[in-house]
Amino acid sequence: MAGHFEATPDGGAAVALDEVEISILRSLAVQLLELVGPGDQAAEGSDPLAALFAEGPSEPPTDPALARLFPDAYGDDDKELREASSEFRRFTEIDLRARKREDALAVVRSLDSVTTDEDGSGELRLTADESRQWLGALNDLRLTIGTRLEVGDDDQGQEGSLYRLPDSDPRKPMVLAYLWLGALQETLVETLMS
């Protein structure tokens, strides 16, 4: 099980992690929380019905990683499609940000519950719901890191060149994290589909 998820009898997943892996995953999830931001929280005592129909931003984020996490619904230069994207964003981004925060928080909380033994290794056990939250967070982390590494949708050969970076390249740790998260994501998908 070391390094990849396996199915558990209750429909969840489990993976063996050491203290370093736990620390890296937790740090990345916290950074994702900081990137996504605290969101628009309703003030205490405010009207819950008004909060339910609160409008979000209408313009796409300027940060490329956030733009990747919260893309336009309709990617075209046509004025009508831009307006439709703006409307769609206004009514969906608040909920999408909240879900991304919940997924990242689920990762942090589950990692905080792992007990390690004297050699620094432990087993992370996830329920089916937690597994789906992990899958969302792993996807968001890969999208964010991939954007920072300038890996695009059409860069099929780009990922292969990431394997060949020299150890002296300052992007190397980020590349290793990107590839490791991809392997975790792949085994979690396989586990949930089995």
Side-chain angles (χ1 to χ4, degrees):
M1 176 171 43
H4 67 276
F5 282 95
E6 291 184 2
T8 58
D10 62 353
V15 63
L17 298 170
D18 63 33
E19 289 174 334
V20 173
E21 293 167 327
I22 292 169
S23 176
I24 291 169
L25 283 167
R26 189 180 193 292
S27 174
L28 290 171
V30 168
Q31 289 176 54
L32 181 61
L33 282 166
E34 291 170 356
L35 178 67
V36 171
D40 297 327
Q41 303 296 327
E44 191 172 322
S46 67
D47 180 7
L49 187 58
L52 182 64
F53 293 103
E55 294 181 11
S58 59
E59 294 298 318
T62 56
D63 181 316
L66 284 173
R68 183 81 169 124
L69 292 175
F70 306 105
D72 277 333
Y74 312 103
D76 200 319
D77 290 332
D78 180 78
K79 183 181 178 191
E80 286 182 32
L81 289 179
R82 279 195 316 271
E83 288 173 5
S85 283
S86 178
E87 285 296 299
F88 186 79
R89 180 179 299 283
R90 274 189 24 216
F91 295 109
T92 60
E93 190 168 312
I94 289 175
D95 290 338
L96 186 56
R97 280 182 185 266
R99 186 184 57 77
K100 290 181 181 304
R101 279 192 303 278
E102 289 168 14
D103 290 350
L105 274 171
V107 169
V108 171
R109 289 180 180 133
S110 60
L111 289 169
D112 286 348
S113 70
V114 174
T115 305
T116 56
D117 55 25
E118 60 277 349
D119 71 348
S121 62
E123 182 182 61
L124 171 69
R125 295 186 70 81
L126 303 172
T127 65
D129 287 339
E130 290 170 330
S131 296
R132 284 186 284 280
Q133 288 180 301
W134 264 73
L135 194 55
L138 288 171
N139 186 61
D140 291 342
L141 287 168
R142 288 202 69 221
L143 285 173
T144 301
I145 293 171
T147 301
R148 298 289 190 235
L149 291 170
E150 298 179 350
V151 175
D153 290 336
D154 55 348
D155 289 341
Q156 301 223 344
Q158 174 79 13
E159 207 167 299
S161 68
L162 294 176
Y163 285 107
R164 295 185 293 279
L165 284 178
D167 290 341
S168 60
D169 192 306
R171 298 173 297 163
K172 186 74 172 201
M174 199 165 28
V175 167
L176 293 174
Y178 176 77
L179 297 172
W180 177 54
L181 291 170
L184 283 175
Q185 183 181 21
E186 182 179 349
T187 62
L188 184 54
V189 167
E190 290 170 356
T191 297
L192 294 176
M193 293 179 66
S194 63

